[in-house]
Amino acid sequence: MEVEAMECPACGYVRQETDDAPDWQCPNCKRAYNKIGGGHKEYSDVDVPQRGRVPHRGHGGRTSASIGAPNNALAIQLIGLIGSALLIIGPFAPFISAPFIGSITLFKGGEGDGIFILGFGLIALLFSFTRRYTAVAVAGCLSGALLVFTFINTRMKLNEVSDNPFLEAVSFQWGGALIVLGVILTIAPAVMVRQR
C-alpha cells in the first residue's frame, strides 16, 4: 500500500504518519495548507527518501535539496539547536565573579536558577530536533525571563550592601551573555518559519 507524504510549502516539513495534527494543518508550523498558498505537495512513499527531503520534479532533474528549500529548513533547525545548546551550557559559565571567592555560576551546584534554564535548554533541544519551533521559542523566552529576574535580584542585593568595599569588586561575567545569545537563537527559528 502506498502512503502519501505531504510537504508544507511554508516550512518544508514532511508530514509523517505519526503526526497528530489535522490533515489540513502542518504539524510543524501549525499553518493551514490552503492558507499558505500553493496548497501542499503530495509524494508517494517511494519518492520520499528521508524526513524533510522531498524530491521536487520539473527542475531539470534537480531535487529540492539542490534548489534550497530543505537546506533552508536545515539551517533554521541548526539555529534552534545551537541556541538550545547555549542555554544548556550557559548555566555552567561564570555569571558573577568576586574577589577571594572567584567565579559563581547560575547552576550553583544544582541549587541556583540555572537549573531551570538548563531544563528549558533541554526542552528546547528536544523540540528543535522535532522542529516544533514555537515550543523552542517558549522555552527560550522562559529562560530569558528567568535570567532577567536573576540579574535584577542580584543587582538589588549588591545595591543593598553597596557600602561594603569587598562587594564593589563584584562584576558580571560572560555567562549571562551566553544565555542571552541562546535566547535569541531559540526565538529566531519561530520567527523565520512565520516569515517564509
Side-chain angles (χ1 to χ4, degrees):
M1 180 177 148
E2 207 170 76
V3 180
E4 296 294 324
M6 294 181 283
E7 176 190 6
C8 175
C11 68
Y13 178 79
V14 178
R15 189 179 190 91
Q16 305 295 309
E17 288 183 37
T18 56
D19 290 328
D20 57 355
D23 291 341
W24 54 267
Q25 184 184 46
C26 173
N28 183 46
C29 66
K30 307 295 183 199
R31 296 172 72 184
Y33 292 123
N34 64 352
K35 300 284 184 183
I36 297 169
H40 59 272
K41 301 171 188 169
E42 294 187 359
Y43 302 92
S44 71
D45 57 346
V46 176
D47 293 336
V48 182
Q50 55 181 281
R51 184 176 182 169
R53 294 191 169 270
V54 179
H56 191 339
R57 309 293 186 227
H59 293 282
R62 292 182 298 163
T63 64
S64 59
S66 63
I67 296 166
N71 288 339
N72 195 18
L74 184 62
I76 291 172
Q77 185 179 29
L78 187 61
I79 290 170
L81 291 171
I82 292 170
S84 304
L86 291 176
L87 292 181
I88 293 169
I89 296 167
F92 299 100
F95 183 65
I96 59 173
S97 68
F100 306 111
I101 297 174
S103 296
I104 301 171
T105 67
L106 282 176
F107 192 72
K108 294 180 187 171
E111 297 176 0
D113 293 336
I115 194 164
F116 295 107
I117 295 175
L118 174 64
F120 292 138
L122 291 170
I123 290 169
L125 186 68
L126 172 69
F127 284 118
S128 291
F129 276 117
T130 59
R131 297 183 180 182
R132 306 280 197 257
Y133 299 124
T134 302
V136 174
V138 169
C141 288
L142 290 173
S143 297
L146 188 56
L147 179 66
V148 169
F149 170 78
T150 304
F151 178 80
I152 291 172
N153 193 27
T154 304
R155 177 56 72 186
M156 287 173 57
K157 287 179 180 176
L158 291 174
N159 287 341
E160 288 174 5
V161 289
S162 59
D163 56 341
N164 188 333
F166 172 75
L167 292 174
E168 286 179 10
V170 173
S171 63
F172 287 94
Q173 296 296 308
W174 54 275
L178 200 65
I179 295 171
V180 168
L181 183 59
V183 169
I184 293 169
L185 292 180
T186 51
I187 295 171
V191 175
M192 294 168 75
V193 165
R194 295 258 180 226
Q195 290 178 346
R196 285 178 68 180

